[in-house]
Amino acid sequence: MEAIKAPRGTYDVLGGESWKWARVVNTARGVADDFGFKEAILPIFEHTELFSRGIGDTTDVVEKEMYTFTDKGGRSITLRPELTASMVRAYLENGLRHGPQPVKLWGWGPMFRYERPQKGRYRQFAQIDFEILGVSSPFADVEIIDSSMEIYRRVGLSNLRVLINSVGCPRCRPDYRESLRKFFETGLDKLCETCRDRFDRNPLRILDCKKPECRELTDSAPPMIDSLCEECKEHFMSVTRGLEKLGADVSLDNKLVRGLDYYTKTAYEILSGDLGAQNAVCGGGRYDNLAEAIGGPGVPGVGFASGIERIIITMEAQGAFMGNEPGTDVFVISAAGAEYEASLLTHELRAKGVSSDMDFMGRSIKSQMKYASQTGAKFVCIIGEDEISSGTATVKNMKDGSQETTRRESVCGKILSWKEAWAQ
Ligand code: ATP
Ligand code: MG
């Protein structure tokens, strides 16, 4: 029988890689704490309707990419393709709008989209997601954009481009839609098939098309920025001015759209110069009409989502990961008969905050030493035959090879002082 493999578009993250994930997620958690976002842990599947209404049924995600199935109770269920709609649902369902505003939530985890897998594009991928709900101030938009950039600053990413646009609001967008239709009308036959279909349904999304034949035309399309109403113009100015004050290097991209009625005002994207074709590390913006679209009252919101795999690919390309997977502080090597002592010693070391491991395979001292070195232990502590009889242990620094034999009860203290010196 052929061995079973993971489904197309999925992958395993194992030791050797998972520490990179931990570093990115822990950094996001640190930024969330520093900016006052609270973690939300939400279901991985939701009612299909949440996404068809919350993302919009003319989007690629809803039209082509959702993992939808009927459960045993006959309900239509979808594996979440993104987090924003779930965040807004959770905010409404749990009555968070009756508490102090705004509500700042963050989360991370797997998302599912039936896409054509390639580097940086998977069918199960993970996002970090930040949302500020219940506030329409442009400074919340500034805060969202800054929090995403802070994650990249902290993980050491460079060569990023921040693109921003405004997609207006239900007051000014109909006029813009009309001027776009007028613009595309004459060149309709030059557009790809999908875009010809979008022409009637949602012409803004034509701007988003990556096909060269459409790009040629969209390059000279009228910019949204010229059609904004006073309120949207004012909002956009405040956001860009706010970002400027923070020293953020942001450029206007007239073709950046989210393309749906519930997305309003700010739309932004962060691109990496080191990602190749799938170059977006982050996408976000304001969605003042999303809560209503999923059946709630009007609740303004702004947020971003960033793909963890793409952050890691960019970090790797830029050499932002220093060294290898960190090993334990100590590996305790024991001769036959010293297993109880080794077990007690690791137990004591861990209690003092020193990470440690020991041998369970009955290997020779030499091969335990080799294993300790392979797993990246900073120090080894040897309880060999001599040490057993003299009640001592030999502590060895794996970086410079220096070693010292000490009384068994002084081992923890010795390692703690060496660990401090190692960190400097
Ligand atoms: P793209 O244009 O690359 O398809 P998108 O506009 O569909 O991106 P969003 O829905 O805004 O992306 O999601 C935010 C982020 O999630 C993206 O910027 C990207 O980093 C990541 N992302 C989206 N889809 C995938 C995927 N299939 N695999 C890996 N990462 C993804
Ligand atoms: Mg996509």
Side-chain angles (χ1 to χ4, degrees), residues 12-26 108 308 312 321 325-326:
D12 304 310
V13 184
L14 300 171
E17 281 298 311
S18 47
W19 65 283
K20 299 177 182 174
W21 281 62
R23 188 169 295 177
V24 171
V25 173
N26 291 342
W108 79 278
I308 295 182
I312 291 175
F321 285 112
E325 180 171 34

PDB file of all heavy atoms in Angstrom, residues 12-26 108 308 312 321 325-326:
ATOM      1  N   ASP A  12       3.981  20.197   6.930  1.00  0.00           N
ATOM      2  CA  ASP A  12       4.224  19.962   8.354  1.00  0.00           C
ATOM      3  C   ASP A  12       5.271  20.958   8.842  1.00  0.00           C
ATOM      4  O   ASP A  12       6.243  21.212   8.143  1.00  0.00           O
ATOM      5  CB  ASP A  12       4.757  18.541   8.568  1.00  0.00           C
ATOM      6  CG  ASP A  12       3.807  17.492   7.999  1.00  0.00           C
ATOM      7  OD1 ASP A  12       2.603  17.563   8.302  1.00  0.00           O
ATOM      8  OD2 ASP A  12       4.285  16.618   7.247  1.00  0.00           O
ATOM      9  N   VAL A  13       5.062  21.515  10.005  1.00  0.00           N
ATOM     10  CA  VAL A  13       6.075  22.382  10.608  1.00  0.00           C
ATOM     11  C   VAL A  13       6.658  21.612  11.781  1.00  0.00           C
ATOM     12  O   VAL A  13       5.971  21.368  12.771  1.00  0.00           O
ATOM     13  CB  VAL A  13       5.474  23.711  11.113  1.00  0.00           C
ATOM     14  CG1 VAL A  13       6.572  24.619  11.643  1.00  0.00           C
ATOM     15  CG2 VAL A  13       4.706  24.401  10.000  1.00  0.00           C
ATOM     16  N   LEU A  14       7.912  21.184  11.638  1.00  0.00           N
ATOM     17  CA  LEU A  14       8.515  20.335  12.660  1.00  0.00           C
ATOM     18  C   LEU A  14       9.673  21.054  13.337  1.00  0.00           C
ATOM     19  O   LEU A  14      10.007  22.184  12.965  1.00  0.00           O
ATOM     20  CB  LEU A  14       9.001  19.038  11.996  1.00  0.00           C
ATOM     21  CG  LEU A  14       7.895  18.228  11.312  1.00  0.00           C
ATOM     22  CD1 LEU A  14       8.481  17.090  10.500  1.00  0.00           C
ATOM     23  CD2 LEU A  14       6.916  17.684  12.341  1.00  0.00           C
ATOM     24  N   GLY A  15      10.249  20.376  14.319  1.00  0.00           N
ATOM     25  CA  GLY A  15      11.455  20.901  14.965  1.00  0.00           C
ATOM     26  C   GLY A  15      12.435  21.276  13.869  1.00  0.00           C
ATOM     27  O   GLY A  15      12.532  20.590  12.859  1.00  0.00           O
ATOM     28  N   GLY A  16      13.149  22.382  14.037  1.00  0.00           N
ATOM     29  CA  GLY A  16      14.011  22.875  12.971  1.00  0.00           C
ATOM     30  C   GLY A  16      13.324  24.030  12.260  1.00  0.00           C
ATOM     31  O   GLY A  16      13.965  24.885  11.691  1.00  0.00           O
ATOM     32  N   GLU A  17      11.980  24.044  12.299  1.00  0.00           N
ATOM     33  CA  GLU A  17      11.196  25.126  11.684  1.00  0.00           C
ATOM     34  C   GLU A  17      10.250  25.769  12.697  1.00  0.00           C
ATOM     35  O   GLU A  17      10.007  26.966  12.654  1.00  0.00           O
ATOM     36  CB  GLU A  17      10.332  24.568  10.536  1.00  0.00           C
ATOM     37  CG  GLU A  17      11.084  24.335   9.248  1.00  0.00           C
ATOM     38  CD  GLU A  17      11.665  25.622   8.665  1.00  0.00           C
ATOM     39  OE1 GLU A  17      10.929  26.618   8.550  1.00  0.00           O
ATOM     40  OE2 GLU A  17      12.863  25.626   8.341  1.00  0.00           O
ATOM     41  N   SER A  18       9.719  24.947  13.610  1.00  0.00           N
ATOM     42  CA  SER A  18       8.655  25.460  14.477  1.00  0.00           C
ATOM     43  C   SER A  18       9.152  26.563  15.409  1.00  0.00           C
ATOM     44  O   SER A  18       8.375  27.421  15.817  1.00  0.00           O
ATOM     45  CB  SER A  18       7.997  24.327  15.256  1.00  0.00           C
ATOM     46  OG  SER A  18       8.967  23.498  15.822  1.00  0.00           O
ATOM     47  N   TRP A  19      10.464  26.582  15.712  1.00  0.00           N
ATOM     48  CA  TRP A  19      10.974  27.667  16.566  1.00  0.00           C
ATOM     49  C   TRP A  19      10.859  29.013  15.856  1.00  0.00           C
ATOM     50  O   TRP A  19      10.684  30.051  16.489  1.00  0.00           O
ATOM     51  CB  TRP A  19      12.419  27.406  17.001  1.00  0.00           C
ATOM     52  CG  TRP A  19      13.426  27.404  15.877  1.00  0.00           C
ATOM     53  CD1 TRP A  19      13.646  26.404  14.984  1.00  0.00           C
ATOM     54  CD2 TRP A  19      14.342  28.454  15.525  1.00  0.00           C
ATOM     55  NE1 TRP A  19      14.638  26.753  14.104  1.00  0.00           N
ATOM     56  CE2 TRP A  19      15.096  28.011  14.412  1.00  0.00           C
ATOM     57  CE3 TRP A  19      14.611  29.719  16.055  1.00  0.00           C
ATOM     58  CZ2 TRP A  19      16.087  28.788  13.810  1.00  0.00           C
ATOM     59  CZ3 TRP A  19      15.601  30.486  15.456  1.00  0.00           C
ATOM     60  CH2 TRP A  19      16.324  30.031  14.346  1.00  0.00           C
ATOM     61  N   LYS A  20      10.912  28.995  14.513  1.00  0.00           N
ATOM     62  CA  LYS A  20      10.760  30.244  13.755  1.00  0.00           C
ATOM     63  C   LYS A  20       9.331  30.761  13.893  1.00  0.00           C
ATOM     64  O   LYS A  20       9.090  31.947  14.046  1.00  0.00           O
ATOM     65  CB  LYS A  20      11.105  30.022  12.282  1.00  0.00           C
ATOM     66  CG  LYS A  20      12.540  29.574  12.083  1.00  0.00           C
ATOM     67  CD  LYS A  20      12.841  29.300  10.632  1.00  0.00           C
ATOM     68  CE  LYS A  20      14.275  28.797  10.486  1.00  0.00           C
ATOM     69  NZ  LYS A  20      14.572  28.378   9.114  1.00  0.00           N
ATOM     70  N   TRP A  21       8.389  29.822  13.816  1.00  0.00           N
ATOM     71  CA  TRP A  21       6.979  30.187  14.023  1.00  0.00           C
ATOM     72  C   TRP A  21       6.786  30.781  15.420  1.00  0.00           C
ATOM     73  O   TRP A  21       6.126  31.783  15.584  1.00  0.00           O
ATOM     74  CB  TRP A  21       6.087  28.953  13.868  1.00  0.00           C
ATOM     75  CG  TRP A  21       5.839  28.587  12.452  1.00  0.00           C
ATOM     76  CD1 TRP A  21       6.773  28.216  11.524  1.00  0.00           C
ATOM     77  CD2 TRP A  21       4.584  28.594  11.778  1.00  0.00           C
ATOM     78  NE1 TRP A  21       6.168  27.980  10.327  1.00  0.00           N
ATOM     79  CE2 TRP A  21       4.821  28.197  10.454  1.00  0.00           C
ATOM     80  CE3 TRP A  21       3.282  28.881  12.183  1.00  0.00           C
ATOM     81  CZ2 TRP A  21       3.801  28.091   9.512  1.00  0.00           C
ATOM     82  CZ3 TRP A  21       2.261  28.766  11.255  1.00  0.00           C
ATOM     83  CH2 TRP A  21       2.530  28.376   9.932  1.00  0.00           C
ATOM     84  N   ALA A  22       7.381  30.106  16.401  1.00  0.00           N
ATOM     85  CA  ALA A  22       7.222  30.571  17.782  1.00  0.00           C
ATOM     86  C   ALA A  22       7.782  31.989  17.917  1.00  0.00           C
ATOM     87  O   ALA A  22       7.180  32.842  18.569  1.00  0.00           O
ATOM     88  CB  ALA A  22       7.927  29.621  18.744  1.00  0.00           C
ATOM     89  N   ARG A  23       8.905  32.230  17.252  1.00  0.00           N
ATOM     90  CA  ARG A  23       9.505  33.564  17.365  1.00  0.00           C
ATOM     91  C   ARG A  23       8.570  34.621  16.771  1.00  0.00           C
ATOM     92  O   ARG A  23       8.373  35.678  17.359  1.00  0.00           O
ATOM     93  CB  ARG A  23      10.866  33.611  16.669  1.00  0.00           C
ATOM     94  CG  ARG A  23      11.570  34.911  16.961  1.00  0.00           C
ATOM     95  CD  ARG A  23      12.999  34.934  16.534  1.00  0.00           C
ATOM     96  NE  ARG A  23      13.835  34.004  17.257  1.00  0.00           N
ATOM     97  CZ  ARG A  23      15.125  33.826  16.983  1.00  0.00           C
ATOM     98  NH1 ARG A  23      15.708  34.503  16.031  1.00  0.00           N
ATOM     99  NH2 ARG A  23      15.842  32.967  17.688  1.00  0.00           N
ATOM    100  N   VAL A  24       7.972  34.321  15.622  1.00  0.00           N
ATOM    101  CA  VAL A  24       7.078  35.293  14.970  1.00  0.00           C
ATOM    102  C   VAL A  24       5.806  35.506  15.817  1.00  0.00           C
ATOM    103  O   VAL A  24       5.398  36.633  16.083  1.00  0.00           O
ATOM    104  CB  VAL A  24       6.729  34.827  13.537  1.00  0.00           C
ATOM    105  CG1 VAL A  24       5.636  35.692  12.925  1.00  0.00           C
ATOM    106  CG2 VAL A  24       7.984  34.845  12.661  1.00  0.00           C
ATOM    107  N   VAL A  25       5.217  34.399  16.272  1.00  0.00           N
ATOM    108  CA  VAL A  25       3.971  34.532  17.041  1.00  0.00           C
ATOM    109  C   VAL A  25       4.239  35.220  18.380  1.00  0.00           C
ATOM    110  O   VAL A  25       3.465  36.080  18.814  1.00  0.00           O
ATOM    111  CB  VAL A  25       3.298  33.148  17.237  1.00  0.00           C
ATOM    112  CG1 VAL A  25       2.104  33.258  18.169  1.00  0.00           C
ATOM    113  CG2 VAL A  25       2.853  32.584  15.896  1.00  0.00           C
ATOM    114  N   ASN A  26       5.359  34.879  19.031  1.00  0.00           N
ATOM    115  CA  ASN A  26       5.681  35.539  20.303  1.00  0.00           C
ATOM    116  C   ASN A  26       5.927  37.028  20.108  1.00  0.00           C
ATOM    117  O   ASN A  26       5.577  37.839  20.968  1.00  0.00           O
ATOM    118  CB  ASN A  26       6.907  34.900  20.965  1.00  0.00           C
ATOM    119  CG  ASN A  26       6.600  33.498  21.461  1.00  0.00           C
ATOM    120  OD1 ASN A  26       5.430  33.131  21.614  1.00  0.00           O
ATOM    121  ND2 ASN A  26       7.642  32.701  21.694  1.00  0.00           N
ATOM    122  N   TRP A 108      -4.334  34.503  16.149  1.00  0.00           N
ATOM    123  CA  TRP A 108      -3.515  33.897  15.094  1.00  0.00           C
ATOM    124  C   TRP A 108      -3.938  32.445  14.963  1.00  0.00           C
ATOM    125  O   TRP A 108      -4.482  31.860  15.910  1.00  0.00           O
ATOM    126  CB  TRP A 108      -2.016  34.003  15.412  1.00  0.00           C
ATOM    127  CG  TRP A 108      -1.533  32.980  16.408  1.00  0.00           C
ATOM    128  CD1 TRP A 108      -1.641  33.055  17.763  1.00  0.00           C
ATOM    129  CD2 TRP A 108      -0.893  31.730  16.112  1.00  0.00           C
ATOM    130  NE1 TRP A 108      -1.112  31.925  18.335  1.00  0.00           N
ATOM    131  CE2 TRP A 108      -0.635  31.097  17.346  1.00  0.00           C
ATOM    132  CE3 TRP A 108      -0.505  31.101  14.912  1.00  0.00           C
ATOM    133  CZ2 TRP A 108      -0.016  29.845  17.424  1.00  0.00           C
ATOM    134  CZ3 TRP A 108       0.108  29.851  14.993  1.00  0.00           C
ATOM    135  CH2 TRP A 108       0.349  29.249  16.249  1.00  0.00           C
ATOM    136  N   ILE A 308       1.847  34.281   8.210  1.00  0.00           N
ATOM    137  CA  ILE A 308       3.045  33.880   8.963  1.00  0.00           C
ATOM    138  C   ILE A 308       4.098  33.255   8.044  1.00  0.00           C
ATOM    139  O   ILE A 308       5.290  33.565   8.146  1.00  0.00           O
ATOM    140  CB  ILE A 308       2.679  32.918  10.109  1.00  0.00           C
ATOM    141  CG1 ILE A 308       1.793  33.668  11.119  1.00  0.00           C
ATOM    142  CG2 ILE A 308       3.931  32.362  10.794  1.00  0.00           C
ATOM    143  CD1 ILE A 308       1.397  32.865  12.328  1.00  0.00           C
ATOM    144  N   ILE A 312       7.981  34.494   7.470  1.00  0.00           N
ATOM    145  CA  ILE A 312       9.147  33.621   7.680  1.00  0.00           C
ATOM    146  C   ILE A 312       9.993  33.520   6.409  1.00  0.00           C
ATOM    147  O   ILE A 312      11.227  33.598   6.473  1.00  0.00           O
ATOM    148  CB  ILE A 312       8.698  32.228   8.187  1.00  0.00           C
ATOM    149  CG1 ILE A 312       8.164  32.386   9.618  1.00  0.00           C
ATOM    150  CG2 ILE A 312       9.856  31.220   8.145  1.00  0.00           C
ATOM    151  CD1 ILE A 312       7.563  31.141  10.220  1.00  0.00           C
ATOM    152  N   PHE A 321      16.945  35.397  10.775  1.00  0.00           N
ATOM    153  CA  PHE A 321      17.019  34.393  11.849  1.00  0.00           C
ATOM    154  C   PHE A 321      18.477  34.189  12.207  1.00  0.00           C
ATOM    155  O   PHE A 321      19.281  33.782  11.362  1.00  0.00           O
ATOM    156  CB  PHE A 321      16.432  33.058  11.392  1.00  0.00           C
ATOM    157  CG  PHE A 321      14.939  33.073  11.325  1.00  0.00           C
ATOM    158  CD1 PHE A 321      14.290  33.001  10.113  1.00  0.00           C
ATOM    159  CD2 PHE A 321      14.175  33.160  12.479  1.00  0.00           C
ATOM    160  CE1 PHE A 321      12.908  33.010  10.034  1.00  0.00           C
ATOM    161  CE2 PHE A 321      12.792  33.171  12.416  1.00  0.00           C
ATOM    162  CZ  PHE A 321      12.157  33.096  11.194  1.00  0.00           C
ATOM    163  N   GLU A 325      18.214  26.406  15.556  1.00  0.00           N
ATOM    164  CA  GLU A 325      17.194  26.165  16.561  1.00  0.00           C
ATOM    165  C   GLU A 325      17.857  26.093  17.932  1.00  0.00           C
ATOM    166  O   GLU A 325      18.808  25.331  18.125  1.00  0.00           O
ATOM    167  CB  GLU A 325      16.502  24.843  16.256  1.00  0.00           C
ATOM    168  CG  GLU A 325      15.434  24.519  17.258  1.00  0.00           C
ATOM    169  CD  GLU A 325      14.613  23.324  16.827  1.00  0.00           C
ATOM    170  OE1 GLU A 325      15.180  22.413  16.208  1.00  0.00           O
ATOM    171  OE2 GLU A 325      13.418  23.328  17.116  1.00  0.00           O
ATOM    172  N   PRO A 326      17.387  26.889  18.888  1.00  0.00           N
ATOM    173  CA  PRO A 326      18.028  26.865  20.198  1.00  0.00           C
ATOM    174  C   PRO A 326      17.847  25.505  20.886  1.00  0.00           C
ATOM    175  O   PRO A 326      16.763  24.941  20.886  1.00  0.00           O
ATOM    176  CB  PRO A 326      17.313  27.975  20.976  1.00  0.00           C
ATOM    177  CG  PRO A 326      16.223  28.492  20.112  1.00  0.00           C
ATOM    178  CD  PRO A 326      16.268  27.819  18.793  1.00  0.00           C
TER     179      PRO A 326
END
